[in-house]
């Protein structure tokens, strides 16, 4: 199993480009199922989750041109196999995103139930409830969601809980339904707007994406289009935290400062100097960081996908901070690993109390999920001595060429078997 070996102590300095957003690219690729014509998607990041999604779409009958490049053309002229098998869903929960499009276009879908995952239970009841309100008949049998609908119809759906992929699934399904669908208490994440822009370019009629009420007028069919995936705000934030923690000075290109307001506020509070232009962010950190309290919540509040990285920053900051995770029940697993590096963290329920110490010690640690892995990389970059991170396949699911980008910024990092 591959590992990363990091020699801590080098401040990050230099310039890199940010990749397309994983969590925007995944639903956009699924949107190809909604039309017989070709959807061309640009700025697709080279990640394991993207490869898994493309294989799944291929299995369903989608023809994919240049699946290993950043520009992918998908053509789902005929859908032959309306199944997302357990083997794929268990490695990538985002496979649930094929449910809405398949049902809307082909009238049937068989999707393995995702089950729990490392960071929490993550049920999909809101996806199912919404599709039922749109007329789908859904049965759970042998661990699979079996859904049928001759034609979905519009409905008013009020989410009990804010869900990102739930909002995306129902938004995609509603594009081909008869009549009007109104999604209330919808997620407002920028990735939802990116998907809505793509769907509207394909001929859908969606209004309000980016707010908590989204209105979709169904249309008889969608057509081909070209779409460029938005920059990855979590990759951007991860590099900004790494630069802050190492007292670095970095320029990030091909990104968007407006996607990161809550994260930039916290970095400024920690002491970083930040300036930005249309598609770049510059961060410079001259002093020891100050501790910052964090409470995760749906967008536009502080993202759960940045919580672990700020935990590492707080480990070496001046003062004591509280980080409260409100989205997932079990997303503090990095704490145990950070403690192996001598961090001073106490966990009480869904909160972690972090007392900053002058320096972390390099150690052998294990990545437990994608963002936890990112926090260990940041900890390794600031620690004294060598840090070895096992199970880095988690990182490869969500960070394109992370060691290449960190090396370009002066980090001492290498991959080993
Ligand atoms: N939830 C339910 N029922 C549902 C759906 C969700 O109870 O039907 C709960 C979840 O268990 C969780 C909360 O609602 O407690 C929010 O979950 P959400 O559905 O918003 O998460 P998701 O759509 O499965 C996406 C991202 C995650 C990100 C979350 C929160 C994708 C592919 N994944 O997941 O990204 O953490 O939104 O912002 O978009 C990551 O990239 O590392 C990652 C985990």
């Amino acid at each position: 199993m591959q590992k990363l070996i990091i020699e801590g102590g080098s401040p990050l300095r230099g310039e890199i480009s940010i990749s397309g957003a994983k969590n925007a690219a995944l639903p956009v690729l699924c949107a190809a199922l909604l039309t017989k014509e070709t959807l061309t998607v640009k700025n697709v990041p080279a990640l394991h989750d993207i490869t898994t999604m493309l294989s799944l779409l291929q299995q369903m009958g989608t023809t994919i041109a240049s699946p290993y490049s950043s520009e992918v053309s998908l053509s789902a002229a005929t859908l032959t196999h309306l199944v997302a098998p357990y083997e794929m869903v268990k490695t990538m929960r985002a496979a649930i995103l094929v449910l809405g499009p398949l049902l809307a276009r082909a009238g049937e879908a068989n999707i393995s139930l995702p089950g729990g995952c490392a960071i929490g239970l993550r049920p999909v009841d809101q996806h199912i409830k919404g599709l039922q309100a749109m007329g789908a008949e859904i049965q759970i049998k042998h661990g699979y969601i079996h859904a049928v609908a001759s034609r979905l119809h519009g409905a008013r759906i009020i989410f009990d809980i804010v869900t990102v992929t739930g909002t995306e699934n129902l938004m995609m399904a509603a594009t081909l339904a008869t009549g009007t669908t109104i999604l209330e208490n919808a997620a407002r994440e920028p990735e939802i707007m990116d998907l809505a822009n793509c769907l509207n370019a394909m001929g859908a009629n969606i209004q309000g994406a980016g707010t908590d009420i989204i209105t979709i007028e169904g249309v008889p069919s969608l057509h081909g289009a070209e779409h460029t995936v938005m920059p990855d705000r979590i990759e951007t934030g991860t590099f900004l935290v790494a630069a802050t923690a190492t007292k670095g000075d970095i320029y990030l290109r091909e990104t968007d400062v407006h996607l990161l307001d809550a994260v930039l506020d916290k970095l400024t509070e920690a002491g970083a100097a930040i300036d930005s232009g249309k598609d770049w962010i510059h961060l410079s950190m001259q002093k020891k960081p100050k501790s910052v309290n964090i409470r995760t919540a749906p967008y536009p509040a502080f993202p759960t996908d940045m919580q672990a990285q700020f935990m590492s920053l707080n480990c070496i900051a001046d003062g004591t901070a509280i980080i409260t995770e409100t989205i997932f029940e079990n997303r503090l697993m990095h704490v145990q690993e950070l403690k192996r590096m001598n961090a001073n963290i106490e966990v009480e329920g869904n909160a972690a109390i972090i007392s900053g110490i002058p320096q972390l010690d390099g150690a052998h640690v294990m990545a437990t999920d994608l963002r936890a892995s990112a926090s260990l990389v940041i900890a390794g970059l600031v620690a004294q001595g060598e840090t070895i991170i096992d199970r880095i396949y988690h990182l490869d699911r969500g960070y394109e060429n992370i060691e290449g980008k960190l090396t370009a910024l002066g980090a001492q990092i290498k991959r080993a078997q």
Side-chain angles (χ1 to χ4, degrees):
M1 217 175 283
Q2 293 195 332
K3 49 188 76 156
L4 279 180
I5 303 173
I6 303 173
E7 187 64 40
S10 310
L12 296 188
R13 289 186 195 287
E15 185 177 320
I16 53 163
S17 290
I18 292 300
S19 302
K22 166 179 86 79
N23 289 347
L26 290 168
V28 161
L29 294 173
C30 294
L33 296 172
L34 288 163
T35 176
K36 290 183 168 162
E37 297 181 15
T38 301
L39 175 66
T40 299
V41 187
K42 297 181 173 180
N43 202 29
V44 178
L47 300 171
H48 275 188
D49 274 10
I50 297 292
T51 315
T52 309
M53 184 61 89
L54 291 174
S55 315
L56 177 61
L57 297 173
Q58 235 160 358
Q59 275 187 20
M60 292 173 170
T62 311
T63 309
I64 299 175
S66 57
Y68 298 105
S69 80
S70 65
E71 181 174 326
V72 180
S73 289
L74 306 101
S75 175
T78 329
L79 293 171
T80 49
H81 192 61
L82 309 173
V83 180
Y86 175 66
E87 288 67 36
M88 278 185 169
V89 179
K90 78 172 184 208
T91 60
M92 187 194 59
R93 299 179 56 85
I96 190 73
L97 284 165
V98 299
L99 174 60
L102 276 187
L103 195 54
R105 164 95 183 281
E108 189 183 340
N110 290 288
I111 314 295
S112 170
L113 268 174
C117 89
I119 60 177
L121 290 173
R122 303 183 78 180
V124 290
D125 56 300
Q126 299 299 306
H127 305 233
I128 292 173
K129 180 185 108 165
L131 291 169
Q132 282 171 329
M134 295 169 78
E137 281 182 28
I138 299 187
Q139 288 184 314
I140 311 288
K141 267 194 197 158
H142 308 300
Y144 276 71
I145 304 167
H146 179 67
V148 285
S150 51
R151 175 107 194 251
L152 293 171
H153 57 71
R156 177 173 172 232
I157 296 157
I158 304 170
F159 288 103
D160 299 329
I161 191 164
V162 177
T163 158
V164 176
T165 48
T167 302
E168 291 165 345
N169 233 338
L170 298 191
M171 193 165 79
M172 286 192 276
T175 57
L176 293 180
T178 55
T180 308
T181 299
I182 301 171
L183 303 179
E184 295 187 27
N185 196 25
R188 292 181 281 170
E189 269 67 4
E191 290 76 12
I192 306 237
M193 267 211 278
D194 203 52
L195 175 63
N197 290 340
C198 173
L199 293 168
N200 282 341
M202 295 167 72
N205 185 353
I206 302 173
Q207 282 167 18
T211 75
D212 61 357
I213 301 183
I214 304 177
T215 306
I216 306 116
E217 292 289 343
V219 294
S221 64
L222 296 182
H223 52 70
E226 201 176 279
H227 179 77
T228 302
V229 173
M230 62 178 265
D232 197 314
R233 62 194 169 100
I234 306 302
E235 186 197 21
T236 305
T238 301
F239 279 105
L240 292 176
V241 174
T244 305
T246 59
K247 292 201 214 147
D249 190 315
I250 62 169
Y251 271 94
L252 302 180
R253 305 276 178 200
E254 296 174 52
T255 187
D256 182 351
V257 70
H258 302 296
L259 304 171
L260 283 143
D261 288 346
V263 170
L264 297 184
D265 278 357
K266 288 293 170 186
L267 289 170
T268 308
E269 198 182 318
I274 300 170
D275 55 334
S276 60
K278 188 169 162 284
D279 60 354
W280 58 268
I281 303 177
H282 170 225
L283 179 144
S284 167
M285 183 71 177
Q286 309 286 347
K287 48 194 173 204
K288 190 171 164 59
K290 278 198 300 214
S291 289
V292 285
N293 293 327
I294 302 279
R295 186 180 179 83
T296 65
Y299 192 85
F302 190 92
T304 173
D305 290 344
M306 285 301 304
Q307 175 259 106
Q309 299 88 320
F310 271 81
M311 185 86 73
S312 296
L313 179 65
N314 275 327
C315 285
I316 48 104
D318 257 343
T320 297
I322 301 178
I323 292 188
T324 311
E325 171 59 49
T326 75
I327 305 288
F328 293 110
E329 316 85 74
N330 195 25
R331 214 178 195 182
L332 293 173
M333 277 184 306
H334 38 287
V335 168
Q336 285 312 321
E337 299 303 303
L338 291 170
K339 282 173 103 162
R340 302 194 62 252
M341 300 175 74
N342 221 13
N344 186 349
I345 310 175
E346 294 301 323
V347 173
E348 280 178 23
N350 65 342
I353 302 141
I354 311 109
S355 304
I357 56 169
Q359 187 144 45
L360 291 170
D361 281 345
H364 199 142
V365 290
M366 189 178 76
T368 49
D369 69 75
L370 172 56
R371 309 304 170 185
S373 318
S375 80
L376 297 177
V377 170
I378 294 169
L381 291 172
V382 293
Q384 187 175 39
E386 187 179 81
T387 295
I388 300 174
I389 308 176
D390 272 339
R391 300 202 181 168
I392 54 160
Y393 55 84
H394 290 293
L395 267 179
D396 296 330
R397 294 183 50 198
Y399 289 93
E400 183 174 66
N401 186 22
I402 187 161
E403 73 268 31
K405 290 188 184 188
L406 284 170
T407 301
L409 295 172
Q412 304 294 311
I413 180 168
K414 63 179 188 227
R415 188 178 285 248
Q417 289 302 323

